[in-house]
Amino acid sequence: MLGKLLKYEMKSQGKSLFLFWMAILGLGLLVRIFSLLEEAVPIFQYLIPISIFTFVLAIVLSLVYCFFLAIKNYYKKVLREEGYLTNTLPVKKSSIILSFLITDMVALIVTVAFSFLGCFIAFGSGSEEIRSMWEAFSISIEQEFNMSIETVRCILAGAMLLGYINTISLFYAAMTVGHSFSQNKIASSIGVGVAFYMTFQFLNVIEMIVIFLKNKMDFTNALVTNEVPYELIGTILGEALIVAVISVITTYTFTNYFLSRKLNLE
C-alpha cells in the first residue's frame, strides 16, 4: 500500500513542479544562446544579465515552491479538505506519513538535479579560471579533512537533505498536534512548532557546550565572538547531525501518535 501512496503523491507533486523544471532548463538554454550570440549581435550583451537573473530566480522559486508544496499537500490531504478520505484509507498512519516525507525528499532531489542540469546548459563546465580554483579548493579540503572531495560532497549533500526532512517533519508534527485541539488550531500549531524548534535548538547548544568542555575550550568566548575553532567543526557537525536524526524520529513519532489517536478534523 505504501507503494501506491508513493505513486500517487509523486505523480501529484511532479505535475505541480513540472513547469518549474521546464522553466529552469528553458532559461538555462536562453542564457547559453545569448552568450553564444553576444559577439555577433552586441545587443545580447545587455540581455545576458537579465537572463541570468531570471534563471537564478527560477531556481530559487522552484526550491521555495518545493518546500511550500510539501507543507500544503500534507495540510490539505491529511488535516483539511481531503483528510476524511486520507485517514480512512486501509493503511497505517505511519505509511501515510512516510509517503509524504519520501515524496518530499524525492521532489527536492529532482528539483536540485534540474537546477544543476540547467546550470550546465547555461554555463557549461565553467571557465579555466573557475576550474583551477575548484581544483585548488578540492586539494585543500582533502588535505585538511583527510578525505576525498567526493566524500565531502556526499556528507554535505546528506546533511542538507537531512536538514530539509527535519524541517518538513517538524512542520508535520506541529500541524498534526495543533489540529488535535478543538479550537485555535492554527495558533496551536504555531505554538507547538515553536516549542519543538526551541527544544531542539536547546539540545544543539547543550551538545556544543559538552564538546567545548571536553576539549577544555571557552564556550562563552566563542558565543560572544561568533567564532568556532576550526578543529572542532567536524565534531560539531557530527553532533548536530545526531540531534537532527533525533529530531526527525521524535517529530515523526509525535505525528504518528496524534494522527492515529488524537486528530480532530472538525
Side-chain angles (χ1 to χ4, degrees):
M1 192 64 182
L2 177 59
K4 292 182 179 179
L5 289 172
L6 284 172
K7 181 180 179 181
Y8 173 78
E9 288 303 323
M10 288 185 182
K11 185 177 180 180
S12 175
Q13 286 217 23
K15 286 182 178 179
S16 300
L17 289 167
F18 181 76
L19 289 179
F20 282 93
W21 297 338
M22 293 302 101
I24 290 172
L25 298 184
L27 289 169
L29 181 61
L30 196 64
V31 171
R32 172 57 68 89
I33 292 174
F34 286 171
S35 299
L36 292 175
L37 296 177
E38 180 182 9
E39 295 184 3
V41 184
I43 192 174
F44 282 114
Q45 66 180 326
Y46 302 106
L47 297 178
I48 290 176
I50 299 174
S51 63
I52 292 176
F53 173 79
T54 308
F55 171 68
V56 173
L57 182 63
I59 292 176
V60 173
L61 289 178
S62 66
L63 294 171
V64 171
Y65 186 69
C66 188
F67 176 80
F68 168 78
L69 193 63
I71 305 302
K72 188 199 79 169
N73 282 349
Y74 181 83
Y75 179 74
K76 177 182 177 182
K77 296 179 180 179
V78 178
L79 303 176
R80 295 299 295 171
E81 291 90 343
E82 302 175 26
Y84 287 101
L85 175 61
T86 303
N87 287 287
T88 54
L89 291 173
V91 61
K92 293 180 179 179
K93 295 298 188 290
S94 58
S95 296
I96 295 175
I97 302 167
L98 279 176
S99 69
F100 280 97
L101 288 176
I102 294 173
T103 301
D104 299 338
M105 182 173 61
V106 172
L108 177 67
I109 292 173
V110 174
T111 302
V112 171
F114 270 99
S115 300
F116 276 111
L117 179 58
C119 288
F120 179 77
I121 292 173
F123 309 111
S125 57
S127 64
E128 187 65 33
E129 182 180 357
I130 293 177
R131 286 196 294 271
S132 62
M133 289 174 61
W134 174 254
E135 289 176 3
F137 174 74
S138 301
I139 293 173
S140 64
I141 290 295
E142 290 174 356
Q143 292 175 345
E144 204 64 51
F145 292 96
N146 196 27
M147 60 179 67
S148 66
I149 190 65
E150 288 76 18
T151 303
V152 174
R153 286 179 188 173
C154 291
I155 293 174
L156 291 178
M160 288 187 286
L161 189 59
L162 177 60
Y164 180 76
I165 293 301
N166 182 28
T167 304
I168 295 292
S169 184
L170 190 151
F171 268 85
Y172 285 1
M175 290 189 296
T176 305
V177 175
H179 278 69
S180 66
F181 294 90
S182 57
Q183 295 179 340
N184 299 321
K185 296 183 179 183
I186 299 299
S188 299
S189 299
I190 294 173
V192 173
V194 171
F196 273 129
Y197 177 79
M198 295 302 294
T199 299
F200 295 124
Q201 288 303 308
F202 179 73
L203 287 178
N204 276 318
V205 172
I206 293 298
E207 60 91 5
M208 285 190 66
I209 292 175
V210 171
I211 291 172
F212 273 79
L213 290 177
K214 286 176 64 177
N215 290 272
K216 298 180 180 179
M217 294 183 176
D218 188 355
F219 175 76
T220 306
N221 181 62
L223 192 63
V224 172
T225 61
N226 200 27
E227 294 180 358
V228 177
Y230 188 77
E231 62 271 18
L232 294 184
I233 291 178
T235 305
I236 292 173
L237 177 60
E239 295 292 337
L241 292 179
I242 293 174
V243 173
V245 171
I246 294 173
S247 172
V248 171
I249 295 173
T250 303
T251 51
Y252 171 82
T253 302
F254 267 89
T255 304
N256 185 43
Y257 176 79
F258 277 84
L259 197 62
S260 302
R261 304 185 184 184
K262 302 288 186 178
L263 184 62
N264 182 4
L265 291 176
E266 295 181 359

